[in-house]
Amino acid sequence: MSSRPTLGELALEVRSKNAGPFWVTMELFMRTAEDYTTVADEHFINEQVVAGLYGVDPATVQIFRIPALNVVKISFPRPVPQGSPRDRDIHAGQHHVPLASLVPP
């Protein structure tokens, strides 16, 4: 186990939310500009990393880096439509957990 903090420990907040019936959005609110720079680095958070965590096509992942707010937003299609019989998280409120578990460099 790493002694370095996870994203969830480093960030002010890591959250996920429903972005309509077909999309999930996750947000990383970093405490400082330095933390934001570490997390926003394309070598750390990129489409391939997100795709690997969530089992989605990297071409469908959208990442928005907002340095003025120290925020990284990530969106991707929901694995199943919201409210469908196989949807186990209708509000997408738990999707952030794998992302929050990452350890920044």
Side-chain angles (χ1 to χ4, degrees):
M1 189 153 165
S2 175
S3 62
R4 296 190 328 250
T6 64
L7 274 180
E9 296 166 336
L10 189 62
L12 180 64
E13 184 174 6
V14 180
R15 68 182 181 193
S16 55
K17 59 186 179 179
N18 183 32
F22 305 108
W23 286 84
V24 170
T25 292
M26 296 181 291
E27 299 164 324
L28 298 163
F29 295 87
M30 304 313 295
R31 295 176 194 279
T32 67
E34 180 182 0
D35 290 342
Y36 167 81
T37 300
T38 299
V39 171
D41 185 323
E42 291 184 20
H43 293 97
F44 176 59
I45 297 283
N46 58 52
E47 291 79 358
Q48 290 74 26
V49 169
V50 174
L53 287 173
Y54 294 97
V56 298
D57 179 352
T60 65
V61 175
Q62 299 176 1
I63 300 175
F64 307 92
R65 293 168 174 86
I66 310 167
L69 300 175
N70 294 335
V71 172
V72 176
K73 292 185 76 153
I74 301 166
S75 294
F76 57 85
R78 294 177 65 102
V80 296
Q82 178 189 22
S84 69
R86 292 183 28 232
D87 185 9
R88 297 187 301 169
D89 186 1
I90 196 165
H91 299 292
Q94 298 303 311
H95 281 64
H96 70 282
V97 174
L99 183 65
S101 300
L102 289 179
V103 176

